[in-house]
Amino acid sequence: MHRRVGLVLLACLASAQPPVSAPSSRPKIGLALAGGSALGLAHVGVIQWLEEHHVPIDYIAGTSMGGLVGGLYATGSVSEEMREFVSKVDWNSALGSGPPYRTLAWRRKEDAVEYPAAIEIGMKGFKPSLPSGFSPGHGVGLVISRFAAPYSDMKSFDDLPTPFRCVATDLAEAKAVVFSRGSLFEALRATMSLPALFAPLEWHNRLLVDGGLVDNLPVDVVKKMGADLVIASALDIPPDPTKYKSLLGVAGRSISLMITQNERRSLGSADLVVMPDLKGLDATAFQKYEDFRKVGYAAAEQKRTMLLKLAVSDAEWQAYEAARKSKRRSDVIHVDEVEVAGDIAPRRKESLIHSIQAGGETINRSAMEAEMTKLTGMGRYDTAGYELFHTPDGKEGVRIRAHEKTYGPPFIRPSILIDGYNGGGIQFGIGGRFVGLDVGGPASEFRADFSVGTLNLLGGEYYYRIRGGKWFLAPRGQYTQFTFPLYNGSQHTADVEQKEWNAGADLGYAFGRFQEFRIGYTVGHLDTVQSTGSGATVPLSGRTGAIQTRWRYDSLDAPNLPRNGVRADLRAAWYTHYPEVPRQFPAFEGRVQYAHPFTSKWSTMLIAAGGTTVDEFSLYPYFNQGGLYQLSALDRHQLIGNNYYRGGVWALRSLSGETVSFFGRFYGAIGYEAGRAWHPSLTAKPRNDGVVGLVGETLFGVVFLGTSFGDQGSAKVLFRVGRVF
């Protein structure tokens, strides 16, 4: 019935003169926007065409990315502002699995480097559980807040510059939830919650996910709003069987088929359908927003004849624009009040409030968002959002809400190591790090490490922030046991088992998220015994003790595969006791890593490291070289000594294309290494090798597969899952 009425109205318009009557006499036009990840950016082009040709939008509704674009328009933005808004979004950050590495607290950076798997197991109530989505949605929440925050206290979405609706799915009842009032932020966050990718939104004891599962093209919703005519902006990519051979490809296609079925039902009830030609475009290619806009604009142009019948006169268009502008709220707000909800440490709360007030009388949004992202980088909170508000007595303010992770703390970061090369066998290990936050005070915590396999380890550290400030005390203890090989030249002659326990305490200063200094004393016991071979070593057994200092700095943009920044680690120790060494002696070690991008695809990485125990040469296992990224063409531990140096330069070429990577990126890698480990009686002449391979981030850690060729004819085919570089 509705479709017949729409066709009659279109026919009447076709025979009529250009519209000159008052806005109230024309049919009310609604626009329904389909979901489709990056494909939804094509809607911006459709809206641009409608604006340029004076086709008014009286009602708008969308699902998923269609909801985001629809909400942006509904809050008063015009197409040019929408283009500018989309161009400024860092989509990799917005859609990432967590806060950017640079914004992590220092100890969370340590976790990410030492345990590179992207899996975090919650242990709240000491019951293992996983997060409900790959991404908690903090980044996309900030994107929504940038335009939705001024409209947090509306009674109805009909009060927006353009009346708006968006659709989510109730997971429990498997039915659509249409948002027409309440928090605009929550409505948009719910419609964007693609299952498994983004965590569901908890809303009035319901779990809401992406509305595309039940109503991806909400034509029916627009009709119920009061539209006489509904234009549907639909998204449909021609199937490409070559992309359905992987696990993710099959899963993605299965979801899209389910969505396509409910979308086709909606297409049949629309009065006019605009269908952008999306062939060759990818649903994760958010950086190609201009390409999407252009195909959306072109699709509307193809329907030019029909759409122009809906155009209004210049006078009517000006009245339409004026009506929208009169309802638009300013995103510039004076800071009369600041509300911070959530159990946030006093110093962090102070930083948040200071960032908000840094703009003087008005809110400094960029500083505020940066502080909220840092808040999520502490580990306890998964999202932090904000709303602007007005009080009855005329005051203006901002309300900050931090959402604590539902599955922890405490947490476990699991790890796996698989390391192999031809002729050297495979090393295997599994383990993890247990992290308990705010134990004994704000920012204080307990961490315990454990692993079995190639390295057997059990250890822990209690990190106590004195009065919640920058100074800290860190008592610790650890037991390790592993076997390392000994070589005579390139010949493997023996294996040595080493066991060590130690305990100590450090006093340190936490400069912030980029550097740390500590000094302390460690006492322990070291035992080495030859487990295979004969006559190669003298067993060591005895007490160890050392005063140690360590300074570290890290401004890299990623824990293991950085493209930009610097990491430095400098250590110095004065040994008071060491087995078979009758005197005290010093030891020094340093490592610097530098990364720099040249293009969007190419980057380089430089690594320099070295260490010495000065003249003390009886410490044969103190330093070693050999193995992947430590002179890769050599066997593990092939070179040992009380001195070493190593340098390397790597070129990395991104293989991931111009798309947002939800599960990490892969690179082609080529490198050159030179270095040596030696005793004073041996040569310090460097060994050299070249390395080429494929390296990438995965859910289980960094993966490397490649080959290395050395200066003396040695060659290796190498494979590793775990930490690289």
Side-chain angles (χ1 to χ4, degrees):
M1 178 66 182
H2 290 293
R3 184 169 176 80
R4 289 197 295 272
V5 171
L7 290 173
V8 169
L9 285 168
L10 280 173
C12 293
L13 286 167
S15 60
Q17 297 297 317
V20 294
S21 56
S24 59
S25 66
R26 64 173 175 82
K28 296 295 184 180
I29 301 168
L31 180 63
L33 306 178
S37 296
L39 309 179
L41 298 175
H43 300 316
V44 177
V46 175
I47 291 173
Q48 180 188 354
W49 193 99
L50 295 176
E51 277 190 345
E52 290 180 1
H53 296 84
H54 292 186
V55 177
I57 302 170
D58 300 295
Y59 306 100
I60 191 166
T63 298
S64 195
M65 183 56 76
L68 183 72
V69 173
L72 185 56
Y73 182 80
T75 51
S77 295
V78 296
S79 60
E80 188 58 38
E81 292 173 314
M82 295 171 72
R83 290 174 64 183
E84 183 180 3
F85 181 90
V86 169
S87 70
K88 291 181 178 179
V89 175
D90 181 349
W91 291 104
N92 276 301
S93 177
L95 303 175
S97 60
Y101 179 72
R102 275 184 173 148
T103 66
L104 296 180
W106 177 263
R107 292 175 70 80
R108 303 293 75 78
K109 286 184 177 180
E110 290 181 318
D111 296 343
V113 171
E114 297 166 19
Y115 294 84
I119 301 170
E120 182 179 68
I121 301 172
M123 295 295 294
K124 184 167 268 188
F126 292 93
K127 295 179 180 179
S129 61
L130 291 171
S132 55
F134 175 74
S135 169
H138 170 73
V140 76
L142 291 182
V143 172
I144 293 169
S145 291
R146 286 167 198 164
F147 65 88
Y151 301 90
S152 60
D153 55 355
M154 290 182 308
K155 294 182 178 180
S156 169
F157 292 174
D158 289 337
D159 297 332
L160 288 165
T162 298
F164 172 69
R165 302 287 187 271
C166 64
V167 183
T169 301
D170 185 324
L171 270 181
E173 299 187 15
K175 67 179 184 180
V177 175
V178 179
F179 282 91
S180 61
R181 63 182 66 247
S183 168
L184 181 59
F185 171 87
E186 288 185 338
L188 293 172
R189 176 61 183 82
T191 195
M192 291 283 291
S193 299
L194 188 65
L197 182 59
F198 290 113
L201 178 77
E202 300 175 26
W203 183 75
H204 298 295
N205 297 319
R206 302 161 87 177
L207 284 179
L208 304 183
V209 296
D210 195 309
L213 299 178
V214 291
D215 193 357
N216 197 53
L217 183 61
V219 173
D220 56 331
V221 174
V222 180
K223 286 183 179 293
K224 290 178 182 178
M225 293 174 73
D228 300 311
L229 290 163
V230 179
I231 303 169
S233 182
L235 306 171
D236 193 12
I237 292 184
D240 183 358
T242 62
K243 296 183 178 180
Y244 310 145
K245 296 180 180 180
S246 67
L247 174 64
L248 293 177
V250 171
R253 180 57 178 167
S254 300
I255 293 174
S256 69
L257 283 173
M258 177 174 57
I259 291 174
T260 298
Q261 294 306 310
N262 74 63
E263 186 175 291
R264 286 177 178 170
R265 292 192 296 270
S266 298
L267 285 172
S269 60
D271 299 296
L272 197 155
V273 176
V274 177
M275 183 80 75
D277 182 5
L278 298 166
K279 186 177 182 180
L281 294 174
D282 193 290
T284 60
F286 287 86
Q287 292 88 340
K288 294 186 176 182
Y289 52 87
E290 268 298 294
D291 293 340
F292 288 113
R293 181 196 63 79
K294 289 176 182 178
V295 299
Y297 189 94
E301 178 64 23
Q302 288 182 344
K303 298 296 178 76
R304 179 185 183 89
T305 302
M306 298 296 289
L307 288 172
L308 283 179
K309 296 170 184 176
L310 304 176
V312 298
S313 67
D314 290 344
E316 286 180 299
W317 181 255
Q318 290 173 8
Y320 166 78
E321 285 189 314
R324 290 189 77 223
K325 288 180 181 178
S326 68
K327 293 184 177 181
R328 186 170 184 175
R329 296 184 179 181
S330 173
D331 61 357
V332 177
I333 191 165
H334 295 81
V335 188
D336 296 319
E337 292 188 11
V338 178
E339 296 180 6
V340 180
D343 185 16
I344 301 174
R347 288 179 181 268
R348 177 53 55 194
K349 184 178 290 188
E350 289 174 10
S351 295
L352 268 173
I353 295 173
H354 177 74
S355 70
I356 293 169
Q357 298 173 335
E361 294 184 356
T362 59
I363 292 172
N364 185 331
R365 283 213 187 192
S366 59
M368 178 177 64
E369 290 184 5
E371 284 299 319
M372 289 194 296
T373 300
K374 291 176 185 177
L375 183 65
T376 64
M378 296 173 64
R380 175 177 288 275
Y381 307 97
D382 52 9
T383 62
Y386 64 96
E387 296 176 331
L388 309 181
F389 65 87
H390 297 77
T391 63
D393 57 356
K395 292 184 178 180
E396 299 177 335
V398 60
R399 184 180 297 111
I400 305 293
R401 287 196 176 97
H403 182 267
E404 189 170 331
K405 295 177 180 178
T406 58
Y407 55 96
F411 305 101
I412 290 179
R413 290 188 67 105
S415 70
I416 183 171
L417 171 68
I418 305 174
D419 185 12
Y421 61 86
N422 56 307
I426 295 179
Q427 292 189 335
F428 177 80
I430 58 173
R433 169 170 285 175
F434 175 91
V435 180
L437 300 177
D438 300 318
V439 177
S444 299
E445 62 182 67
F446 173 74
R447 293 195 310 199
D449 296 326
F450 55 94
S451 69
V452 294
T454 298
L455 172 66
N456 297 312
L457 175 150
L458 181 63
E461 177 185 80
Y462 177 59
Y463 177 86
Y464 176 69
R465 294 285 282 267
I466 301 173
R467 296 180 180 178
K470 297 285 188 179
W471 289 96
F472 65 86
L473 287 173
R476 50 190 163 71
Q478 181 173 278
Y479 171 81
T480 59
Q481 184 246 330
F482 63 94
T483 299
F484 63 90
L486 292 180
Y487 288 83
N488 182 6
S490 60
Q491 183 178 1
H492 180 193
T493 59
D495 289 305
V496 175
E497 182 183 53
Q498 177 172 308
K499 298 179 182 179
E500 182 178 11
W501 66 262
N502 61 65
D506 292 333
L507 172 66
Y509 188 81
F511 291 89
R513 60 195 64 247
F514 293 108
Q515 58 181 320
E516 180 191 84
F517 173 80
R518 56 170 66 196
I519 183 170
Y521 186 76
T522 302
V523 62
H525 193 276
L526 173 67
D527 285 296
T528 67
V529 60
Q530 186 172 317
S531 57
T532 64
S534 60
T537 68
V538 176
L540 293 180
S541 181
R543 177 184 172 186
T544 62
I547 301 170
Q548 299 172 317
T549 64
R550 186 178 187 184
W551 173 80
R552 288 180 293 167
Y553 174 84
D554 189 347
S555 67
L556 294 176
D557 62 354
N560 288 285
L561 290 177
R563 285 177 49 84
N564 195 13
V566 176
R567 178 183 290 152
D569 188 347
L570 305 179
R571 312 183 196 196
W574 183 262
Y575 278 86
T576 57
H577 299 85
Y578 201 88
E580 305 300 325
V581 180
R583 57 189 177 274
Q584 300 181 5
F585 65 93
F588 305 94
E589 186 175 13
R591 185 178 187 272
V592 177
Q593 181 178 357
Y594 170 77
H596 181 73
F598 290 108
T599 68
S600 61
K601 292 286 187 181
W602 285 94
S603 62
T604 188
M605 186 157 49
L606 305 176
I607 299 174
T612 182
T613 61
V614 193
D615 294 327
E616 191 53 60
F617 60 89
S618 61
L619 308 170
Y620 66 83
Y622 201 89
F623 298 120
N624 68 82
Q625 293 292 281
L628 180 59
Y629 70 83
Q630 296 186 105
L631 301 180
S632 305
L634 301 181
D635 291 337
R636 304 183 192 98
H637 292 240
Q638 186 171 333
L639 303 177
I640 61 173
N642 69 309
N643 305 283
Y644 90 96
Y645 65 88
R646 183 179 76 254
V649 56
W650 294 77
L652 301 175
R653 205 268 185 189
S654 175
L655 305 176
S656 300
E658 296 183 80
T659 61
V660 170
S661 178
F662 297 108
F663 302 102
R665 290 187 172 275
F666 279 83
Y667 298 85
I670 183 169
Y672 167 77
E673 302 171 312
R676 188 85 189 194
W678 79 99
H679 292 295
S681 59
L682 302 176
T683 179
K685 182 180 179 180
R687 297 292 300 271
N688 305 270
D689 63 49
V691 187
V692 61
L694 176 70
V695 61
E697 303 159 317
T698 73
L699 291 174
F700 305 102
V702 183
V703 172
F704 180 88
L705 175 63
T707 185
S708 178
F709 300 92
D711 57 349
Q712 296 183 14
S714 57
K716 294 285 185 292
V717 175
L718 305 131
F719 173 72
R720 174 174 290 187
V721 177
R723 182 178 171 186
V724 177
F725 298 121

